Amino acid sequence: MTLRIYNTLSRRVEDFVPLGDPVRLYVCGMTPKFHPHLGHARCYVGVDLIRRVLEYRGYQVRHVQNFTDIDDKTIARAQEEGTTAEEIARRYTESYFESMGKLAVQPAHVYPTVTGNMQQIVQYVEGLIEKGFAYIVGGDVYFEVGRFESYGRLSGRFEDSGMVGVRTELEPGKRDPKDFALWKAAKPGEPSWPSPWGEGRPGWHIECSTMVRETLGDQIDIHAGGQDLLFPHHENELAQSECFTDKEPYVKYWAHIGLVTMGTEKMAHSTWNFVTLKEMLEKYEPAAVRLYFLRTHYRSPVMYSEEGIAVAARNLETLRAAYGELSEPIAPGAVTSESASGLLRRFDEQLDDDFNSAGAVGVLFDTAHEVNRGGPQTTVLRSAFRKMVEVLGLPLEAEKERGASDAAPFIELLIDVRTKLRAQGQWALADQVRDGLKQLGIVLKDNQQGTTWEHHD
C-alpha cells in the first residue's frame, strides 16, 4: 500500500510523493513562555509519529522546528517574573527538551530561533517591499493581502464567508483590515533590533517563512503544526512565502494536529486552562502519556481526561509482558511466522493510511495478546511486536521491569477459555473465570475488538 497523507490545502488524502530527497519537514515550534503543557505534547508526539513512519517506510527526513524566542508573551512573562525575555526563553526551552525527551520525541535536526535569524528576517521584509507586496507606515511594515489573489485557499476563509480572527477595524495607516504586520516599531522598554524602518521586531508570520527558507529552501514537503495555527498564521505564511519566492507550492502537504481541549476550550497558556507536561510526568510514566495520545488519530481532537492516561498506564502491563526478552537476536526483516507477517502487514496498512496511530495501536495490542499466549512462534511474534513498539516510539524498554508479568500467558489463556465458554452460552462458568481473575487483581474489559485486561493493586 502507498503511504497516503491528508493535505489541508486540498482537503483530501493524497499519495505521498516527496519533492526530492530528503523529505523536508518543518514544524511550528513552541513559544517558550512557560513549561510545555499537554497540548504541546499532543502536537509534537503527532509530528514525531509522522517522522518515524516516514523513516520506517525508507525515506530520509530533514526535520526543522523553530522556537519563537521573542514575542509579546515572552516579554510579558519576563515582566511578571522580574527577568529578561532572553532568560524566559532559555528557561522554558530547556523545560521543553527535558519533557519531550522523556516522551521519546526525537530531536529535530535544526532548531532555528527568531533572534538568531533577525538579519535574514529584515532582508525577507525588504524583498517583499521591493516586489510590491508590502508597504511602510511609519516604523511598521504591512503585507498587502489584496495583492495575493489566492489568499484564503489554505484555511477556506474568504472575505465572503467572514475572516474570523482578522481585525475588522482599520488601524492607522493600514490599507485593508486584513493586512498583517511584517515588522513592528519598537515600544519603549521592549527588546528591539535595527532595520531600515527603525528599531523594532518582526511580526509573527514572517518569522517562520524566513526560518523555513534559511534551513530547508524555498519549497518543502510537509509543514506541520497545531490546528489552531491554520488561520491566520499558516495562511499568512503561505501568502508571503509564495510572493517572495515566486514558487508554488510553498508547501506540498500541510498537516495539522488536532488540539487538546479542556471542556469546550483548547488547552492553552493564554487562558490558563492547561496541565503542564512536567506535572503529568510526575504522576504517570512517559509511555502512558505517549500511548494516550497515540490512541487518537493525529488530526482528531483530544478531550483531556486524566482517567484516559490512567487507563493507558494500566494497559502498559500487557505491552511490557509481551516486550519481554528475546531468547536470541533476530535480524531485521526476518519475521517468518505467517501470523507475525500478517500482523505486521496490518500494522503497516494502518500507518500508511494517513499515519493512523489509533489503528496501529489496535494491531499492537492484538500482537501483544498473541505473544502473551505463548507457543512455538512466540520469539518471532515478539520480534514483530518490538518492531511496532519502535515505530510508535513507545519507551517501554527502559522501565519494562515495572509491569512485566510472568503470569501474562496464563491470563491470556484464561481469557481465551472464557471467550469460548461465552460463545457456547456457558455464562456462569465464564463469569467464574472473570470473577476469579478479579480476586487476583486482574480486571477484564470487554469491547468490540475483544477482551483486554488490567492489573489493579
Coordinates of all heavy atoms in Angstrom, one line a residue, residues 26 112-114 116-125 128 182 202-218 237 240-241 244 250:
Y26 N 9.0 20.8 8.2 CA 9.1 21.9 9.1 C 7.9 21.9 10.1 O 6.7 21.6 9.6 CB 9.1 23.2 8.3 CG 9.2 24.5 9.2 CD1 10.5 24.9 9.6 CD2 8.1 25.1 9.6 CE1 10.6 26.0 10.4 CE2 8.2 26.3 10.4 CZ 9.5 26.7 10.8 OH 9.6 27.8 11.6
P112 N 16.0 26.5 14.6 CA 16.2 27.9 14.5 C 15.4 28.7 15.4 O 14.4 28.3 15.9 CB 15.8 28.2 13.0 CG 14.7 27.1 12.8 CD 15.2 25.9 13.5
T113 N 15.9 29.9 15.7 CA 15.2 30.8 16.6 C 15.0 32.2 15.9 O 15.7 32.5 14.9 CB 16.0 31.1 17.9 OG1 17.2 31.7 17.6 CG2 16.3 29.8 18.7
V114 N 14.0 32.9 16.4 CA 13.8 34.2 15.8 C 15.0 35.2 16.0 O 15.4 35.8 15.0 CB 12.5 34.8 16.4 CG1 12.3 36.3 15.9 CG2 11.3 34.0 16.1
G116 N 18.0 34.5 16.4 CA 19.1 34.0 15.6 C 19.0 34.3 14.1 O 20.0 34.0 13.4
N117 N 17.8 34.7 13.7 CA 17.6 35.0 12.2 C 17.1 36.4 12.0 O 16.5 36.6 11.0 CB 16.6 34.0 11.7 CG 17.2 32.6 11.5 OD1 17.7 32.3 10.4 ND2 17.1 31.8 12.5
M118 N 17.4 37.3 12.8 CA 16.9 38.6 12.7 C 17.3 39.3 11.4 O 16.5 40.0 10.8 CB 17.2 39.5 14.0 CG 16.3 40.6 14.2 SD 14.6 40.2 14.4 CE 14.6 39.4 16.1
Q119 N 18.6 39.2 11.1 CA 19.1 39.9 9.9 C 18.4 39.3 8.6 O 18.0 40.1 7.7 CB 20.6 39.7 9.8 CG 21.2 40.4 8.5 CD 22.7 40.2 8.4 OE1 23.3 39.7 9.3 NE2 23.3 40.6 7.3
Q120 N 18.2 38.0 8.6 CA 17.5 37.4 7.5 C 16.1 37.8 7.4 O 15.5 37.9 6.3 CB 17.7 35.8 7.6 CG 19.1 35.3 7.4 CD 19.9 35.3 8.8 OE1 19.5 36.0 9.7 NE2 20.9 34.5 8.8
I121 N 15.4 37.9 8.6 CA 14.0 38.4 8.6 C 13.9 39.8 8.0 O 13.0 40.1 7.1 CB 13.5 38.4 10.0 CG1 13.3 36.9 10.5 CG2 12.1 39.1 10.1 CD1 13.0 36.8 12.0
V122 N 14.8 40.7 8.3 CA 14.8 42.0 7.8 C 15.0 42.0 6.3 O 14.3 42.7 5.5 CB 15.9 42.9 8.5 CG1 16.1 44.2 7.7 CG2 15.6 43.1 9.9
Q123 N 15.9 41.1 5.8 CA 16.1 41.0 4.4 C 14.9 40.5 3.6 O 14.5 40.9 2.5 CB 17.3 40.1 4.1 CG 18.6 40.7 4.5 CD 19.8 39.7 4.5 OE1 19.6 38.5 4.3 NE2 21.0 40.2 4.7
Y124 N 14.2 39.6 4.3 CA 12.9 39.0 3.7 C 11.9 40.1 3.6 O 11.2 40.2 2.5 CB 12.4 37.9 4.6 CG 11.6 36.8 3.9 CD1 12.0 35.5 3.9 CD2 10.4 37.1 3.4 CE1 11.3 34.5 3.3 CE2 9.6 36.1 2.8 CZ 10.1 34.8 2.7 OH 9.3 33.8 2.1
V125 N 11.7 40.9 4.6 CA 10.7 42.0 4.6 C 11.1 43.0 3.5 O 10.3 43.5 2.7 CB 10.7 42.7 5.9 CG1 9.7 43.9 5.9 CG2 10.2 41.8 7.0
L128 N 10.0 41.7 0.1 CA 8.5 41.8 -0.1 C 8.2 43.3 -0.5 O 7.3 43.5 -1.3 CB 7.8 41.4 1.1 CG 7.7 39.9 1.3 CD1 7.2 39.5 2.7 CD2 6.9 39.2 0.2
L182 N 4.5 42.8 9.2 CA 5.7 42.1 8.9 C 6.8 42.6 9.9 O 7.7 41.8 10.2 CB 6.2 42.3 7.5 CG 5.2 41.8 6.4 CD1 5.7 42.3 5.0 CD2 5.1 40.3 6.4
P202 N 10.1 41.6 14.5 CA 9.3 41.1 13.4 C 7.8 40.8 13.9 O 7.6 40.5 15.0 CB 10.0 39.9 12.9 CG 10.8 39.5 14.1 CD 11.2 40.7 14.8
G203 N 6.9 40.7 12.9 CA 5.6 40.2 13.1 C 5.8 38.6 13.2 O 6.8 38.1 12.8
W204 N 4.7 38.0 13.7 CA 4.8 36.6 14.0 C 5.0 35.7 12.7 O 5.9 34.9 12.6 CB 3.5 36.2 14.7 CG 3.3 34.7 15.0 CD1 4.3 33.8 15.1 CD2 2.1 34.0 15.1 NE1 3.7 32.5 15.4 CE2 2.4 32.7 15.4 CE3 0.8 34.4 15.1 CZ2 1.4 31.7 15.6 CZ3 -0.2 33.5 15.3 CH2 0.1 32.1 15.6
H205 N 4.2 36.0 11.6 CA 4.2 35.1 10.5 C 5.5 35.1 9.7 O 5.9 34.1 9.1 CB 3.0 35.5 9.6 CG 1.8 35.9 10.4 ND1 1.1 34.9 11.2 CD2 1.1 37.0 10.5 CE1 0.1 35.5 11.8 NE2 0.0 36.8 11.4
I206 N 6.1 36.3 9.5 CA 7.3 36.4 8.7 C 8.5 35.6 9.3 O 9.4 35.1 8.5 CB 7.8 37.9 8.6 CG1 8.8 38.1 7.5 CG2 8.3 38.4 9.9 CD1 8.2 37.8 6.1
E207 N 8.4 35.3 10.6 CA 9.5 34.6 11.2 C 9.6 33.1 10.6 O 10.7 32.7 10.3 CB 9.2 34.5 12.7 CG 9.2 35.8 13.4 CD 8.6 35.9 14.8 OE1 8.0 34.8 15.2 OE2 8.6 36.9 15.4
C208 N 8.5 32.4 10.5 CA 8.5 31.1 10.0 C 8.9 31.0 8.5 O 9.7 30.1 8.1 CB 7.2 30.4 10.2 SG 7.0 29.8 11.9
S209 N 8.4 32.0 7.7 CA 8.8 32.0 6.3 C 10.3 32.1 6.2 O 10.9 31.4 5.3 CB 8.1 33.2 5.6 OG 6.7 32.9 5.5
T210 N 10.9 33.0 7.0 CA 12.3 33.2 6.9 C 13.1 31.9 7.4 O 14.0 31.5 6.7 CB 12.7 34.4 7.8 OG1 12.0 35.5 7.3 CG2 14.2 34.6 7.6
M211 N 12.7 31.4 8.5 CA 13.4 30.2 9.0 C 13.2 29.0 8.1 O 14.2 28.2 8.0 CB 12.9 29.9 10.5 CG 13.4 31.0 11.4 SD 13.0 30.7 13.2 CE 11.3 31.2 13.3
V212 N 12.1 28.8 7.5 CA 11.9 27.7 6.5 C 12.9 27.9 5.4 O 13.6 26.9 5.0 CB 10.5 27.7 6.0 CG1 10.4 26.8 4.7 CG2 9.5 27.2 7.0
R213 N 13.0 29.1 4.8 CA 13.9 29.3 3.7 C 15.3 29.2 4.1 O 16.1 28.6 3.3 CB 13.6 30.7 3.1 CG 14.3 31.0 1.8 CD 13.8 32.3 1.2 NE 14.3 32.4 -0.2 CZ 15.4 33.2 -0.5 NH1 16.0 33.9 0.5 NH2 15.8 33.2 -1.7
E214 N 15.7 29.6 5.2 CA 17.1 29.5 5.7 C 17.6 28.1 5.9 O 18.7 27.8 5.8 CB 17.3 30.4 6.9 CG 17.2 31.9 6.7 CD 18.3 32.4 5.7 OE1 19.5 32.0 5.8 OE2 17.9 33.1 4.8
T215 N 16.6 27.2 6.4 CA 17.0 25.9 6.8 C 16.7 24.8 5.7 O 17.3 23.8 5.7 CB 16.4 25.5 8.1 OG1 15.0 25.6 8.0 CG2 16.9 26.4 9.2
L216 N 15.6 25.0 4.9 CA 15.1 24.0 4.1 C 14.9 24.4 2.6 O 14.8 23.6 1.7 CB 13.7 23.5 4.6 CG 13.7 22.7 5.9 CD1 12.3 22.5 6.4 CD2 14.5 21.4 5.8
G217 N 15.0 25.7 2.3 CA 14.8 26.2 1.0 C 13.5 26.8 0.7 O 12.7 27.0 1.6
D218 N 13.2 27.1 -0.6 CA 12.0 27.8 -1.0 C 10.8 27.0 -0.9 O 9.6 27.5 -0.8 CB 12.2 28.4 -2.4 CG 13.2 29.6 -2.4 OD1 13.5 30.1 -1.4 OD2 13.6 29.9 -3.5
E237 N 1.6 32.9 6.3 CA 2.9 32.4 6.0 C 2.9 31.9 4.5 O 3.9 32.2 3.8 CB 3.2 31.2 6.9 CG 4.7 30.7 6.8 CD 4.9 29.5 7.6 OE1 4.2 29.2 8.6 OE2 5.8 28.7 7.3
Q240 N 2.9 35.2 2.0 CA 4.1 36.0 1.9 C 5.3 35.1 1.3 O 6.1 35.7 0.6 CB 4.5 36.5 3.3 CG 4.9 35.5 4.3 CD 4.8 36.0 5.7 OE1 4.3 37.1 6.0 NE2 5.3 35.1 6.6
S241 N 5.3 33.8 1.6 CA 6.3 33.0 1.0 C 6.2 32.8 -0.5 O 7.2 32.9 -1.2 CB 6.3 31.6 1.7 OG 6.6 31.7 3.1
F244 N 7.2 36.1 -2.1 CA 8.7 36.4 -2.1 C 9.4 35.5 -3.0 O 10.3 36.0 -3.7 CB 9.2 36.1 -0.6 CG 10.6 36.4 -0.5 CD1 11.1 37.7 -0.1 CD2 11.6 35.5 -0.6 CE1 12.4 38.0 0.1 CE2 13.0 35.7 -0.5 CZ 13.4 37.0 -0.1
Y250 N 4.5 26.5 -2.0 CA 5.4 26.7 -0.9 C 5.5 25.5 -0.1 O 6.6 25.0 0.3 CB 4.9 27.9 0.0 CG 5.5 28.0 1.3 CD1 6.9 28.1 1.5 CD2 4.7 28.1 2.5 CE1 7.5 28.2 2.8 CE2 5.2 28.3 3.7 CZ 6.6 28.3 3.9 OH 7.1 28.5 5.2

